[in-house]
């Protein structure tokens, strides 16, 4: 929890240099198959907290599509539960909790997850948090509920990064996974593109045009210190972190046409990885560090390939359609997400790498920049409806869809942060 607190503290400090006024609005459609019925009670005395913790938990669970959330009102006596009564109301599990203000200004947040069938406790958490971490404590509780009832880690306490554009004003933003607690990481009058989280969640790599050309930077979100990672002749683009966090893959045109290179996170040790007569770009590391997926037009149109990080022969991965770009690989290495152009539409697809089966996940027609949630169950991407650009989230089975919009400006270039270590 220490590193997580440091990161959030750093982001709060960064926010003093400018915070977004408009938060995101989330629209949800569809539900998952076999929803788990969970009753969530208002936490006793949670009015003393700056955040209504039970409401955040409910919103997280509903947004996932995995649960049928039952409003349980407020339960003040969390040690005297009518298990049979809640089971009769259709709840398989019950979330209860309390919040108490401590003398040192912190808040003691306690929670229990109860099994109404076995009439037993499944899990519990007890955290003393400062005011700024009350929202995080709610997300962590929702993560625990998700894990205990599905066996999969929740991703509610993770962060997202994206670019917000209003005219010639570009802002690199960081927010909670639900779009709340928006913080400004960088403001520029020149474009910012391709943000990419470091594996430990403390840094973001991105491309900035502030030098009137694309340059790759790494920014520490806690100290705000920036490092130039790639500023070679020509274009420097598409940074992607290696799993260890000590190096990145980038796309550079320094030798004439764009190819994939690897470079240390401090900008040293630049090394060419791909070597083709075509354009190789958009590198993405596999979670095990054994492969780099990338986009190349070496076969004529853009397709997705896989190669060893040291280079060598690349193998083509996508064969459906004549135009496939923006590869993203799930943490378990089983699923590839990408943008495919079919019938003039740019849409989000996923490919099961074992079976070769592909599936279209989006209903929109101008999608870009997919990014997996760290648990592999959801994909965030940018899309456009009319003249407005917004973010969307879809479950990997395509059943649950969300749209994240703001009142002002376009939002694009999303990237989902990792689990905090």
């Amino acid at each position: 929890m220490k590193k997580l607190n440091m990161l959030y503290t750093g982001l709060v400090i960064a926010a003093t240099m400018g915070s977004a006024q408009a938060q995101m609005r989330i629209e949800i459609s569809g539900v998952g198959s076999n929803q788990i019925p969970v009753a969530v009670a208002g936490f006793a005395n949670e009015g003393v907290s700056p955040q209504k913790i039970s409401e955040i938990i409910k919103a997280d669970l509903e947004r996932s599509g995995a649960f049928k959330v039952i409003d349980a009102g407020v339960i003040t006596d969390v040690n005297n539960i009518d298990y049979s009564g809640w089971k009769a109301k259709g709840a398989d599990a019950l979330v209860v909790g309390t919040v108490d203000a401590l003398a040192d200004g912190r808040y003691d947040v306690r929670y229990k997850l109860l099994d109404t069938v076995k009439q037993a406790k499944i899990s519990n958490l007890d955290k003393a948090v400062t005011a700024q971490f009350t929202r995080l404590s709610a997300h962590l509780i929702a993560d625990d509920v998700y894990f205990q009832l599905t066996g999969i880690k929740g991703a509610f306490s993770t962060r997202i990064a994206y670019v917000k554009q209003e005219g010639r004003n570009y802002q690199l933003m960081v927010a909670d996974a639900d779009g709340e607690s928006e913080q400004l990481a960088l403001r520029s009058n020149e474009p910012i593109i391709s943000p990419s989280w470091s594996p430990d969640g403390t840094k973001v790599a991105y491309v900035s045009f502030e030098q009137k050309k694309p340059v790759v930077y790494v920014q520490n979100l806690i100290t705000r210190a920036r490092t130039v990672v790639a500023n070679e002749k020509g274009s420097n683009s598409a940074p992607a972190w290696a799993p260890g966090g000590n190096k990145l893959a980038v796309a550079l045109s320094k030798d004439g046409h764009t190819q994939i290179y690897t470079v240390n996170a401090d900008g040293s040790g630049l090394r060419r990885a791909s070597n083709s007569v075509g354009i190789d770009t958009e590198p993405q590391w596999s979670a095990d560090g054994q492969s780099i997926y990338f986009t190349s037009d070496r076969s004529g149109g853009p397709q997705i390939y896989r190669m060893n990080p040291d280079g060598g022969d690349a193998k083509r991965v996508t064969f459906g359609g004549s135009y496939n770009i923006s590869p993203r690989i799930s943490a378990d290495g089983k699923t590839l997400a990408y943008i495919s152009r079919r019938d003039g539409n740019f849409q989000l697809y996923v490919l099961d790498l074992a079976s070769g089966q592909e599936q279209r996940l989006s209903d929109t027609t101008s999608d870009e920049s997919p990014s997996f949630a760290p648990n592999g169950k959801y994909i965030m991407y940018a899309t456009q409806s009319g003249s407005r650009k917004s973010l969307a989230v879809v479950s990997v089975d395509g059943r649950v869809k969300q749209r994240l919009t703001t009142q002002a400006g376009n939002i694009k270039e999303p990237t989902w942060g990792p689990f905090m270590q």
Side-chain angles (χ1 to χ4, degrees), residues 255-334:
D255 295 323
H257 58 290
T258 301
Q259 294 288 285
I260 307 299
Y261 293 74
T262 60
V263 61
N264 294 332
D266 62 1
S268 66
L270 184 66
R271 182 182 181 279
R272 184 165 173 171
S274 71
N275 189 8
S276 76
V277 296
I279 294 175
D280 297 344
T281 187
E282 298 185 314
Q284 288 290 312
W285 296 77
S286 61
D288 62 7
Q290 299 301 304
S291 301
I292 293 177
Y293 292 78
F294 63 100
T295 303
S296 177
D297 66 354
R298 61 183 65 191
S299 60
Q303 295 291 342
I304 296 167
Y305 291 77
R306 180 179 63 240
M307 68 177 176
N308 185 289
D310 294 328
D313 291 338
K315 300 187 184 305
R316 183 169 166 178
V317 178
T318 53
F319 293 90
S322 61
Y323 190 105
N324 297 299
I325 60 172
S326 303
R328 301 293 187 272
I329 188 72
S330 61
D332 62 9
K334 296 180 179 179

Side-chain angles (χ1 to χ4, degrees), residues 1 22 25 44 65-66 73 77 81 113 144 177 193 216 218 227 240 308 315 322 333 339 356 360 371 393 406 417:
M1 189 72 177
R25 182 168 64 91
D77 187 356
I81 301 298
L113 177 63
D144 188 64
I193 62 173
V216 176
V218 167
T227 301
N308 185 289
K315 300 187 184 305
S322 61
I339 302 299
R360 178 172 59 83
S371 180
V393 178
T406 57

Side-chain angles (χ1 to χ4, degrees), residues 117-139:
V117 178
K118 296 181 180 179
Q119 300 191 8
K121 181 178 69 178
I122 301 173
S123 183
N124 68 282
L125 291 174
D126 182 358
K127 292 185 177 296
V129 297
T130 58
Q132 70 195 49
F133 295 123
T134 51
R135 171 171 282 275
L136 173 59
S137 68
H139 290 318

